[in-house]
Short mmCIF file of all heavy atoms in Angstrom, two decimals:
data_model
loop_
_atom_site.label_atom_id
_atom_site.label_comp_id
_atom_site.label_asym_id
_atom_site.label_seq_id
_atom_site.Cartn_x
_atom_site.Cartn_y
_atom_site.Cartn_z
N MET P 105 82.27 107.20 68.69
CA MET P 105 82.76 108.56 68.68
C MET P 105 84.28 108.62 68.81
O MET P 105 84.79 108.13 69.87
CB MET P 105 82.17 109.39 69.85
CG MET P 105 82.65 110.81 69.74
SD MET P 105 82.23 111.77 71.28
CE MET P 105 82.62 113.46 70.61
N SER P 109 89.67 115.12 70.43
CA SER P 109 89.64 116.62 70.73
C SER P 109 90.63 117.14 71.82
O SER P 109 90.85 118.29 71.98
CB SER P 109 88.26 117.15 71.11
OG SER P 109 87.90 116.50 72.34
N ALA P 136 82.75 112.69 65.46
CA ALA P 136 83.87 113.43 66.00
C ALA P 136 83.36 114.69 66.58
O ALA P 136 82.26 115.25 66.21
CB ALA P 136 84.85 113.62 64.79
N GLU P 137 84.20 115.27 67.40
CA GLU P 137 83.80 116.49 68.21
C GLU P 137 84.70 117.68 67.46
O GLU P 137 85.89 117.54 67.48
CB GLU P 137 84.27 116.39 69.61
CG GLU P 137 84.00 117.54 70.46
CD GLU P 137 84.24 117.34 71.87
OE1 GLU P 137 83.71 116.29 72.41
OE2 GLU P 137 84.90 118.12 72.61
N SER P 138 83.95 118.69 67.00
CA SER P 138 84.71 119.83 66.46
C SER P 138 84.70 120.96 67.52
O SER P 138 83.74 121.04 68.22
CB SER P 138 84.04 120.26 65.18
OG SER P 138 82.87 120.79 65.40
N GLY P 139 85.87 121.75 67.58
CA GLY P 139 85.94 122.59 68.57
C GLY P 139 86.28 121.74 69.86
O GLY P 139 86.81 120.69 69.72
N ARG P 140 85.97 122.31 70.94
CA ARG P 140 86.21 121.51 72.13
C ARG P 140 85.06 121.72 73.22
O ARG P 140 84.89 122.92 73.58
CB ARG P 140 87.64 121.85 72.76
CG ARG P 140 87.91 120.92 73.91
CD ARG P 140 89.21 121.30 74.51
NE ARG P 140 90.36 120.97 73.60
CZ ARG P 140 91.33 121.89 73.38
NH1 ARG P 140 91.32 123.14 73.88
NH2 ARG P 140 92.33 121.57 72.62
N ILE P 141 84.31 120.72 73.61
CA ILE P 141 83.32 120.71 74.52
C ILE P 141 83.97 120.68 75.89
O ILE P 141 84.62 119.56 76.20
CB ILE P 141 82.24 119.71 74.30
CG1 ILE P 141 81.67 119.95 72.89
CG2 ILE P 141 81.11 119.88 75.40
CD1 ILE P 141 80.93 118.67 72.58
N ASN P 142 83.93 121.66 76.79
CA ASN P 142 84.63 121.54 78.08
C ASN P 142 83.96 120.57 79.01
O ASN P 142 82.76 120.24 78.92
CB ASN P 142 84.74 122.92 78.68
CG ASN P 142 86.20 123.27 78.51
OD1 ASN P 142 87.08 122.76 77.92
ND2 ASN P 142 86.55 124.38 79.22
N GLY P 143 84.76 120.30 80.06
CA GLY P 143 84.20 119.42 81.22
C GLY P 143 84.64 117.96 81.13
O GLY P 143 85.36 117.61 80.15
N THR P 151 88.61 117.95 80.11
CA THR P 151 89.22 119.03 79.29
C THR P 151 89.29 120.31 80.09
O THR P 151 89.55 121.40 79.47
CB THR P 151 88.54 119.18 77.99
OG1 THR P 151 87.22 119.48 78.17
CG2 THR P 151 88.68 117.93 77.03
N GLU P 155 91.18 125.10 77.05
CA GLU P 155 90.15 126.25 76.57
C GLU P 155 89.04 125.65 75.84
O GLU P 155 89.26 124.93 74.94
CB GLU P 155 90.93 127.32 75.89
CG GLU P 155 90.09 128.54 75.77
CD GLU P 155 90.75 129.42 74.68
OE1 GLU P 155 91.82 129.13 74.13
OE2 GLU P 155 90.03 130.49 74.34
N ALA P 156 87.76 125.97 76.28
CA ALA P 156 86.69 125.52 75.35
C ALA P 156 86.70 126.22 74.10
O ALA P 156 87.10 127.47 74.11
CB ALA P 156 85.38 125.88 76.14
N LEU P 157 86.48 125.61 73.04
CA LEU P 157 86.59 126.29 71.70
C LEU P 157 85.30 126.04 70.99
O LEU P 157 84.94 124.88 70.75
CB LEU P 157 87.79 125.66 70.90
CG LEU P 157 89.13 125.80 71.52
CD1 LEU P 157 90.09 124.88 70.81
CD2 LEU P 157 89.64 127.19 71.41
N PHE P 158 84.61 127.07 70.55
CA PHE P 158 83.36 127.02 69.82
C PHE P 158 83.64 126.58 68.37
O PHE P 158 84.75 126.96 67.84
CB PHE P 158 82.57 128.32 69.71
CG PHE P 158 81.80 128.61 71.00
CD1 PHE P 158 82.15 127.98 72.20
CD2 PHE P 158 80.76 129.43 71.02
CE1 PHE P 158 81.39 128.29 73.34
CE2 PHE P 158 79.94 129.68 72.09
CZ PHE P 158 80.32 129.10 73.32
N THR P 159 82.78 125.74 67.87
CA THR P 159 83.03 125.17 66.51
C THR P 159 82.98 126.35 65.44
O THR P 159 81.96 127.13 65.56
CB THR P 159 81.97 124.11 66.18
OG1 THR P 159 82.13 123.08 67.07
CG2 THR P 159 82.19 123.65 64.75
N SER P 160 83.97 126.47 64.65
CA SER P 160 84.02 127.40 63.54
C SER P 160 83.63 126.83 62.21
O SER P 160 83.78 125.64 62.04
CB SER P 160 85.32 128.11 63.47
OG SER P 160 86.20 127.14 62.96
N PRO P 161 83.15 127.64 61.22
CA PRO P 161 82.86 127.13 59.89
C PRO P 161 84.04 126.38 59.23
O PRO P 161 83.93 125.39 58.60
CB PRO P 161 82.50 128.40 59.07
CG PRO P 161 82.10 129.34 60.04
CD PRO P 161 82.94 129.08 61.37
N GLU P 163 86.39 124.76 60.76
CA GLU P 163 86.50 123.49 61.42
C GLU P 163 85.44 122.47 60.82
O GLU P 163 85.79 121.20 60.67
CB GLU P 163 86.28 123.55 62.90
CG GLU P 163 87.60 123.76 63.57
CD GLU P 163 87.30 123.92 65.07
OE1 GLU P 163 86.21 124.60 65.44
OE2 GLU P 163 88.16 123.47 65.99
N VAL P 164 84.30 122.86 60.64
CA VAL P 164 83.23 122.09 60.09
C VAL P 164 83.67 121.49 58.75
O VAL P 164 83.59 120.28 58.52
CB VAL P 164 81.87 122.74 59.94
CG1 VAL P 164 80.83 121.96 59.10
CG2 VAL P 164 81.32 123.26 61.26
N PHE P 167 86.45 118.81 59.22
CA PHE P 167 85.85 117.56 59.60
C PHE P 167 85.09 116.80 58.54
O PHE P 167 85.14 115.54 58.40
CB PHE P 167 85.12 117.69 60.88
CG PHE P 167 86.02 117.65 62.11
CD1 PHE P 167 86.44 118.74 62.74
CD2 PHE P 167 86.36 116.48 62.68
CE1 PHE P 167 87.26 118.77 63.89
CE2 PHE P 167 87.24 116.34 63.76
CZ PHE P 167 87.73 117.66 64.31
N LEU P 175 78.78 114.85 63.52
CA LEU P 175 79.52 115.91 64.11
C LEU P 175 78.86 116.38 65.35
O LEU P 175 77.68 116.63 65.59
CB LEU P 175 79.58 117.12 63.13
CG LEU P 175 80.53 118.27 63.53
CD1 LEU P 175 81.96 117.83 63.29
CD2 LEU P 175 80.26 119.52 62.78
N ALA P 176 79.80 116.45 66.50
CA ALA P 176 79.32 116.96 67.73
C ALA P 176 79.88 118.40 67.88
O ALA P 176 81.13 118.51 68.27
CB ALA P 176 79.83 116.07 68.86
N PRO P 177 79.15 119.35 67.60
CA PRO P 177 79.66 120.78 67.70
C PRO P 177 79.75 121.25 69.16
O PRO P 177 79.07 120.85 70.07
CB PRO P 177 78.64 121.66 66.82
CG PRO P 177 77.26 120.77 66.96
CD PRO P 177 77.75 119.38 67.25
N SER P 178 80.70 122.28 69.22
CA SER P 178 80.87 122.99 70.55
C SER P 178 80.14 124.37 70.40
O SER P 178 80.58 125.23 69.70
CB SER P 178 82.26 123.17 70.81
OG SER P 178 82.46 123.87 72.03
N ILE P 179 78.88 124.53 70.99
CA ILE P 179 78.17 125.69 70.81
C ILE P 179 77.73 126.32 72.26
O ILE P 179 76.71 127.06 72.35
CB ILE P 179 76.84 125.42 70.03
CG1 ILE P 179 76.08 124.23 70.67
CG2 ILE P 179 77.17 125.13 68.56
CD1 ILE P 179 74.64 124.22 70.37
N GLY P 180 78.62 126.20 73.20
CA GLY P 180 78.33 126.57 74.46
C GLY P 180 77.94 125.44 75.40
O GLY P 180 77.60 125.57 76.67
N ASN P 181 77.77 124.25 74.97
CA ASN P 181 77.35 123.10 75.73
C ASN P 181 78.62 122.61 76.44
O ASN P 181 79.77 122.73 75.89
CB ASN P 181 76.84 121.95 74.79
CG ASN P 181 77.66 121.73 73.49
OD1 ASN P 181 78.29 122.63 72.95
ND2 ASN P 181 77.64 120.55 72.93
N ILE P 182 78.42 122.08 77.66
CA ILE P 182 79.64 121.52 78.38
C ILE P 182 79.21 120.17 78.95
O ILE P 182 78.07 119.88 79.22
CB ILE P 182 79.98 122.53 79.57
CG1 ILE P 182 78.74 122.67 80.58
CG2 ILE P 182 80.53 123.82 79.10
CD1 ILE P 182 79.19 123.37 81.89
N HIS P 183 80.21 119.34 79.22
CA HIS P 183 80.03 118.04 79.90
C HIS P 183 79.94 118.38 81.34
O HIS P 183 80.66 119.12 81.97
CB HIS P 183 81.24 117.11 79.54
CG HIS P 183 81.28 116.66 78.17
ND1 HIS P 183 82.29 116.79 77.27
CD2 HIS P 183 80.28 115.96 77.46
CE1 HIS P 183 81.95 116.14 76.15
NE2 HIS P 183 80.77 115.65 76.20
N TYR P 186 75.96 122.31 84.60
CA TYR P 186 76.12 123.70 84.27
C TYR P 186 76.14 124.66 85.51
O TYR P 186 75.73 124.26 86.51
CB TYR P 186 74.94 124.08 83.37
CG TYR P 186 75.08 123.59 81.94
CD1 TYR P 186 74.60 122.26 81.67
CD2 TYR P 186 75.57 124.30 80.99
CE1 TYR P 186 74.80 121.78 80.34
CE2 TYR P 186 75.82 123.81 79.67
CZ TYR P 186 75.45 122.50 79.31
OH TYR P 186 75.58 122.01 78.15
N LYS P 192 73.68 128.07 78.38
CA LYS P 192 73.44 129.22 77.32
C LYS P 192 74.13 128.74 76.04
O LYS P 192 75.33 128.91 75.86
CB LYS P 192 74.26 130.50 77.89
CG LYS P 192 73.62 131.12 79.16
CD LYS P 192 73.56 132.54 79.12
CE LYS P 192 72.88 133.14 80.35
NZ LYS P 192 72.04 132.31 81.11
N LEU P 193 73.23 128.49 75.14
CA LEU P 193 73.73 127.83 73.87
C LEU P 193 73.67 128.99 72.75
O LEU P 193 72.83 129.80 72.75
CB LEU P 193 72.99 126.67 73.42
CG LEU P 193 72.84 125.54 74.43
CD1 LEU P 193 72.05 124.30 73.81
CD2 LEU P 193 74.23 125.01 74.95
N ASP P 194 74.53 128.84 71.76
CA ASP P 194 74.68 129.69 70.66
C ASP P 194 73.89 129.09 69.49
O ASP P 194 74.38 128.45 68.72
CB ASP P 194 76.14 129.87 70.31
CG ASP P 194 76.30 130.99 69.13
OD1 ASP P 194 75.32 131.29 68.52
OD2 ASP P 194 77.49 131.32 68.99
N PHE P 195 72.47 129.45 69.48
CA PHE P 195 71.58 128.80 68.53
C PHE P 195 71.91 129.21 67.09
O PHE P 195 71.77 128.46 66.19
CB PHE P 195 70.16 129.08 68.88
CG PHE P 195 69.77 128.05 69.81
CD1 PHE P 195 69.55 128.35 71.17
CD2 PHE P 195 69.32 126.81 69.48
CE1 PHE P 195 69.12 127.47 72.09
CE2 PHE P 195 68.97 125.84 70.37
CZ PHE P 195 68.70 126.12 71.62
N ARG P 197 74.82 129.79 65.93
CA ARG P 197 75.93 129.01 65.49
C ARG P 197 75.41 127.59 65.08
O ARG P 197 75.88 127.10 64.06
CB ARG P 197 77.04 128.90 66.57
CG ARG P 197 78.29 128.38 66.16
CD ARG P 197 79.37 128.22 67.37
NE ARG P 197 79.68 129.59 67.70
CZ ARG P 197 80.75 130.22 67.29
NH1 ARG P 197 81.65 129.50 66.55
NH2 ARG P 197 81.17 131.39 67.72
N LEU P 198 74.58 127.06 65.95
CA LEU P 198 74.14 125.64 65.58
C LEU P 198 73.32 125.72 64.24
O LEU P 198 73.52 124.85 63.41
CB LEU P 198 73.13 125.29 66.69
CG LEU P 198 72.49 123.83 66.59
CD1 LEU P 198 73.53 122.76 66.41
CD2 LEU P 198 71.63 123.52 67.85
N ILE P 201 75.73 125.97 61.38
CA ILE P 201 76.47 124.70 61.23
C ILE P 201 75.56 123.78 60.41
O ILE P 201 76.02 123.09 59.41
CB ILE P 201 76.89 124.05 62.52
CG1 ILE P 201 77.91 124.88 63.25
CG2 ILE P 201 77.24 122.70 62.31
CD1 ILE P 201 78.28 124.51 64.66
N ILE P 211 74.10 115.69 63.09
CA ILE P 211 74.55 116.53 64.34
C ILE P 211 74.20 115.85 65.64
O ILE P 211 73.10 115.39 65.78
CB ILE P 211 73.92 118.02 64.29
CG1 ILE P 211 74.37 118.75 63.07
CG2 ILE P 211 74.29 118.71 65.60
CD1 ILE P 211 73.81 120.16 63.01
N ALA P 212 75.21 115.73 66.48
CA ALA P 212 75.03 115.11 67.78
C ALA P 212 75.26 116.17 68.87
O ALA P 212 76.22 116.88 68.63
CB ALA P 212 76.03 113.93 68.03
N LEU P 213 74.34 116.28 69.74
CA LEU P 213 74.42 117.25 70.89
C LEU P 213 74.94 116.61 72.17
O LEU P 213 74.23 115.70 72.72
CB LEU P 213 73.22 118.02 71.02
CG LEU P 213 73.40 119.33 72.02
CD1 LEU P 213 74.07 120.41 71.20
CD2 LEU P 213 72.00 119.71 72.45
N HIS P 214 76.07 117.07 72.67
CA HIS P 214 76.57 116.52 73.93
C HIS P 214 76.35 117.58 75.00
O HIS P 214 76.04 118.70 74.76
CB HIS P 214 78.02 116.37 73.86
CG HIS P 214 78.51 115.25 72.98
ND1 HIS P 214 79.33 114.23 73.37
CD2 HIS P 214 78.16 114.86 71.68
CE1 HIS P 214 79.46 113.32 72.41
NE2 HIS P 214 78.83 113.70 71.44
N GLY P 215 76.47 117.13 76.30
CA GLY P 215 76.45 118.06 77.45
C GLY P 215 74.96 118.52 77.74
O GLY P 215 74.64 119.80 77.77
#
Side-chain angles (χ1 to χ4, degrees):
M105 182 188 191
S109 66
E137 179 173 313
S138 63
R140 186 182 291 130
I141 303 167
N142 253 10
T151 56
E155 191 194 353
L157 301 166
F158 279 24
T159 300
S160 68
E163 268 174 328
V164 172
F167 274 95
L175 187 73
S178 175
I179 53 158
N181 44 333
I182 59 170
H183 287 122
Y186 284 85
K192 292 219 177 342
L193 303 185
D194 185 345
F195 276 100
R197 190 179 293 264
L198 179 56
I201 290 170
I211 295 178
L213 190 75
H214 286 235

